[in-house]
Amino acid sequence: MKKSVLVIGVGSFGRGVIEGLYENGHDIFAIDANEEALNDVRDMIVSGAILDVGENEEDLIRIVGDKNFDEAVVGMSEDFEGTLIATHILKEAGVTVSVKASTKRRGNVLLKMGADRVVFPERDIGRRLAHFISNDTVIDLLELPRGFVVEQMEVGTGFIGHTTAELDIPRRFGIYILLIYRNNETIQPRASTVLNSGDNIVVFGRRDMMRAFVKENFKDKSNEIF
């Protein structure tokens, strides 16, 4: 479902959020005190505002009231006062809020203020990397240059019981199944390989085609009309 999302703070974290939201077709409004940071994402956002939230909370209240956002992401972990002000204003307006925090203590404060999600990017990336190092069969998502990704996912109802040849995934989506994990075994798929319930697949392809591929994989066959 397409959403209207406010992103406050366009540093490396905020830009990453904007890129992901843009690729998934959402409408994005961005706020940052730095005009250059906004200019860097201008082609991905509907509109933006040059604003120091900590110094201009009335302007933020006006923007939030006018735009009726579905969700918001606050990515100013270094400006904790501004983060607190923004979180309070957004929750008062009934907006679902995800907030970046630099420490667990600050995260706890934000949760008590009503933040719906608190993320710790540096810690989470470190843990994710450690998980990959510790488990050779876990990929989940690997970003590659030029818009390509390697991703691991469960085989959904749309693919269960079909051979890779029947699904014709490379032609339809430009995506390739590299490996199948089944009962702690690694299988290199052939045209005759049948995908089973409980299988996990590692796929490679363009990120902009992955959404359609995932939708087809998890299609609910019970809703099909014959």
Side-chain angles (χ1 to χ4, degrees):
M1 182 180 70
K2 187 174 184 178
K3 294 183 179 181
S4 174
V5 185
L6 170 64
V7 178
I8 303 177
V10 189
S12 57
F13 172 76
R15 182 184 175 87
V17 171
I18 289 171
E19 289 174 349
L21 291 171
Y22 176 76
E23 289 170 359
N24 283 281
H26 299 294
D27 290 333
I28 310 154
F29 188 99
I31 291 176
D32 198 279
N34 186 332
E35 182 177 4
E36 186 175 342
L38 286 176
N39 287 336
D40 285 343
V41 298
R42 187 68 64 183
D43 59 338
M44 294 184 284
I45 63 176
V46 174
S47 58
I50 304 167
L51 182 66
D52 185 331
V53 173
E55 299 293 330
N56 300 278
E57 57 184 277
E58 293 301 323
D59 288 338
L60 179 60
I61 292 171
R62 176 182 54 78
I63 290 170
V64 172
D66 289 346
K67 300 294 184 181
N68 194 29
F69 299 108
D70 297 307
E71 298 218 17
V73 178
V74 182
M76 310 179 298
S77 60
E78 298 306 314
D79 179 7
F80 192 54
E81 180 181 353
T83 297
L84 292 172
I85 290 170
T87 301
H88 175 72
I89 290 171
L90 289 161
K91 291 311 301 176
E92 284 285 302
V95 180
T96 299
V97 184
S98 301
V99 190
K100 175 187 175 183
S102 57
T103 67
K104 185 176 180 179
R105 178 174 293 180
R106 290 185 175 187
N108 288 336
V109 172
L110 290 162
L111 286 172
K112 290 177 181 178
M113 284 189 63
D116 298 278
R117 308 181 196 92
V118 174
V119 296
F120 304 89
E122 291 82 4
R123 183 203 68 180
D124 293 344
I125 290 172
R127 287 185 174 180
R128 188 174 176 185
L129 177 58
H131 192 45
F132 291 163
I133 292 170
S134 302
N135 189 341
D136 293 336
T137 65
V138 174
I139 292 178
D140 192 24
L141 178 64
L142 175 64
E143 298 278 358
L144 299 173
R146 301 183 183 275
F148 287 89
V149 294
V150 176
E151 188 164 354
Q152 177 177 308
M153 67 187 70
E154 184 179 352
V155 172
T157 55
F159 288 177
I160 290 172
H162 293 282
T163 66
T164 56
E166 288 171 343
L167 293 170
D168 199 13
I169 292 167
R171 184 188 64 80
R172 295 169 62 203
F173 302 101
I175 288 172
Y176 299 85
I177 298 178
L178 303 180
L179 293 171
I180 300 170
Y181 294 132
R182 177 179 297 164
N183 299 325
N184 296 320
E185 293 185 6
T186 302
I187 300 170
Q188 291 188 324
R190 300 177 182 273
S192 59
T193 302
V194 178
L195 297 178
N196 298 334
S197 177
D199 286 353
N200 279 270
I201 53 176
V202 177
V203 298
F204 164 79
R206 292 197 59 86
R207 186 184 184 95
D208 57 5
M209 292 300 296
M210 199 62 72
R211 187 179 184 186
F213 172 77
V214 171
K215 184 177 180 181
E216 181 73 12
N217 180 27
F218 292 102
K219 180 173 64 176
D220 186 354
K221 293 182 179 179
S222 65
N223 292 329
E224 293 182 351
I225 298 175
F226 296 93

